[in-house]
């Protein structure tokens, strides 16, 4: 019996490679070709212009690095100023419990 | 009925011209691309999927290529671009199969397992090379590949069995080179582990 991986590898890989390379390609016939063309003709023709969704996708992905950088900056900023929204809300509420209004607390 | 689409010189420039015509709405021209590249696509697909599925997957390759034709940039040849689509379609085929388990995994017959036991026993390399029985080896290969994940399977086939470089495999699969390298290493180890454990009675 073989113990080492290397020995096993040396013995098996040539066999596997030979078996793999011995696979014969399956010929595709005329009927197959007709069915592909039938399928393609049944699809909508190219409009020539990229769709609105494609344009949107192209534009959106250009902003991905900037968005990541902004998210990172906001995270770092939030961590460094020690801002906890729950505490801040509670503080606002405790300071003015009677006339508390979320809009007023935001200065609107 | 290949028509007047076939009248320029080199294959690459001819392909490009046909692509432009198809994109302008002359769908019939696609037949020329189909005729020219169907054997190449069938060869790629035959290497990666079971024989009885080759026609269906090759069909999907040409439909996918048609749908993505507008994204073809003239940075590479159409043949190479189509090869990448063919490899990715084969990968998607295996992902679908592994998810739904539509097809039973190939099993290893007693005869194949006996053959494997002979190979793994202490014979000299020369004797084994002489004894290679294609049918048994292919049954073993099919069985061993069925034990791998679709990712491991594709990487192992491309790198260790076809001899593609990491870069080529990465380009064909659309993955990073680092990803391909890691998967190639893991799949190599995994398949050897599978083969090593087999003679202890794990044949199915």
């Amino acid at each position: 019996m073989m113990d080492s991986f290397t020995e096993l590898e040396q013995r098996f890989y040539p066999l596997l490679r030979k078996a793999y390379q011995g696979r014969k390609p399956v010929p595709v016939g005329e009927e197959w070709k007709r069915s592909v063309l039938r399928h393609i003709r049944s699809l909508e023709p190219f409009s020539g212009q990229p769709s609105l969704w494609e344009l949107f996708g192209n534009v959106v992905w250009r902003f991905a690095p900037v968005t990541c950088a902004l998210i990172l900056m906001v995270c770092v900023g939030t961590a460094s100023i020690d801002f906890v929204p729950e505490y801040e809300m509670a503080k606002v509420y405790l300071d003015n419990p009677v006339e508390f209004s979320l809009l007023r607390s935001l200065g609107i | 009925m290949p028509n007047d689409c076939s009248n320029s010189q080199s294959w690459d420039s001819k392909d490009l011209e046909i692509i432009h015509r198809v994109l302008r709405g002359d769908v019939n021209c696609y037949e020329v691309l189909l005729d020219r590249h169907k054997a190449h696509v069938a060869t790629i697909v035959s290497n990666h999927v079971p024989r009885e599925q080759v026609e269906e997957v090759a069909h999907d390759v040409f439909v996918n290529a048609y749908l993505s034709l507008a994204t073809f940039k003239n940075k590479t040849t159409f043949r190479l671009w189509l090869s990448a689509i063919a490899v990715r379609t084969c990968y998607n085929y295996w992902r679908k199969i592994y998810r739904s388990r539509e097809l039973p995994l190939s099993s290893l017959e007693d005869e194949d397992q006996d053959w494997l036991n002979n190979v793994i026993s202490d014979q000299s390399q020369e004797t084994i090379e002489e004894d290679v029985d294609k049918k048994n080896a292919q049954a073993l290969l099919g069985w061993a590949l069925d034990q791998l994940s679709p990712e491991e399977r594709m990487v192992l086939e491309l790198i260790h069995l076809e001899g593609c470089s990491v870069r080529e495999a990465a380009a064909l699969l659309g993955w990073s080179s680092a990803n391909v390298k890691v998967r190639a290493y893991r799949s190599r180890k995994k398949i050897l582990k599978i083969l090593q454990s087999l003679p202890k009675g794990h044949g199915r």
Side-chain angles (χ1 to χ4, degrees):
Chain A
M1 284 291 287
M2 283 169 289
D3 294 322
S4 80
F5 252 28
T6 324
E7 202 182 335
L8 192 70
E9 197 166 11
Q10 280 169 357
R11 193 155 284 197
F12 271 115
Y13 266 112
L15 293 179
L16 296 181
R17 215 167 283 139
K18 217 169 196 176
Y20 184 80
Q21 282 157 6
R23 286 178 174 181
K24 289 198 178 77
V26 177
V28 284
E30 280 300 305
E31 186 47 48
W32 170 86
K33 186 178 131 182
R34 273 195 291 275
S35 83
V36 176
L37 289 171
R38 209 177 304 125
H39 188 161
I40 281 164
R41 286 187 188 114
S42 71
L43 301 169
E44 276 186 31
F46 289 105
S47 65
Q49 293 291 321
S51 68
L52 212 62
W53 178 249
E54 281 171 336
L55 280 175
F56 177 72
N58 288 343
V59 172
V60 163
W61 284 111
R62 284 173 202 272
F63 287 103
V66 180
T67 313
C68 289
L70 275 175
I71 291 170
L72 204 70
M73 279 161 61
V74 169
C75 289
V76 170
T78 312
S80 61
I81 62 168
D82 204 21
F83 175 79
V84 183
E86 288 85 355
Y87 287 153
E88 297 300 321
M89 286 297 291
K91 213 165 91 184
V92 171
Y93 179 72
L94 291 171
D95 285 350
N96 194 359
V98 181
E99 293 171 19
F100 176 75
S101 133
L102 186 62
L103 285 177
R104 199 176 295 168
S105 73
L106 294 172
I108 302 168
Chain B
M1 52 255 69
N3 45 27
D4 60 327
C5 306
S6 37
N7 53 5
S8 58
Q9 295 82 32
S10 89
W11 274 30
D12 295 344
S13 61
K14 201 170 166 184
D15 281 347
L16 203 63
E17 186 196 319
I18 294 165
I19 290 164
H20 286 144
R21 293 185 67 162
V22 174
L23 290 174
R24 283 198 298 267
D26 189 356
V27 182
N28 289 334
C29 266
Y30 196 70
E31 187 179 355
V32 180
L33 292 177
L34 194 71
D35 277 331
R36 192 174 293 163
H37 300 287
K38 66 180 181 189
H40 176 65
V41 168
T43 307
I44 294 175
V45 174
S46 304
N47 280 338
H48 297 287
V49 305
R51 290 183 73 78
E52 60 277 13
Q53 301 294 324
V54 170
E55 286 204 347
E56 203 182 317
V57 176
H59 179 125
D60 290 346
V61 171
F62 278 102
V63 171
N64 290 343
Y66 174 77
L67 293 172
S68 316
L69 213 54
T71 65
F72 173 71
K73 306 272 185 288
N74 199 17
K75 286 177 190 164
T76 174
T77 63
F78 178 71
R79 202 180 177 81
L80 264 177
W81 182 76
L82 193 62
S83 305
I85 291 184
V87 168
R88 288 173 210 179
T89 308
C90 293
Y91 167 58
N92 287 337
Y93 165 81
W94 283 115
R95 282 178 64 198
K96 210 171 101 191
I97 292 295
Y98 275 64
R99 264 203 304 263
S100 61
R101 293 277 179 205
E102 276 172 16
L103 292 178
L105 295 176
S106 66
S107 58
L108 209 55
E109 306 282 330
D110 288 345
E111 185 200 338
D112 300 323
Q113 186 154 351
D114 290 344
W115 173 81
L116 179 67
N117 286 334
N118 285 336
V119 172
I120 217 163
S121 65
D122 284 333
Q123 291 183 41
S124 70
Q125 186 63 36
E126 292 76 44
T127 325
I128 292 162
E129 291 287 348
E130 284 164 19
D131 276 349
V132 172
D133 179 341
K134 252 187 190 170
K135 195 177 140 273
N136 290 339
Q138 284 191 342
L140 172 71
L141 177 68
W143 177 84
L145 288 173
D146 275 348
Q147 315 302 310
L148 303 177
S149 71
E151 291 79 13
E152 290 165 341
R153 179 186 194 112
M154 293 306 292
V155 166
L156 188 100
E157 287 181 342
L158 287 171
I159 293 188
H160 297 298
L161 302 176
E162 273 182 32
C164 290
S165 67
V166 169
R167 212 168 162 191
E168 286 167 340
L172 286 171
L173 288 161
W175 300 348
S176 69
S177 295
N179 191 4
V180 170
K181 235 182 242 177
V182 171
R183 287 190 192 281
Y185 176 78
R186 283 188 194 153
S187 59
R188 204 179 99 230
K189 290 281 172 213
K190 191 168 170 182
I191 204 160
L192 288 175
K193 225 173 209 174
I194 290 165
L195 292 172
Q196 204 177 30
S197 66
L198 192 65
K200 292 168 192 158
H202 291 118
R204 291 144 32 94

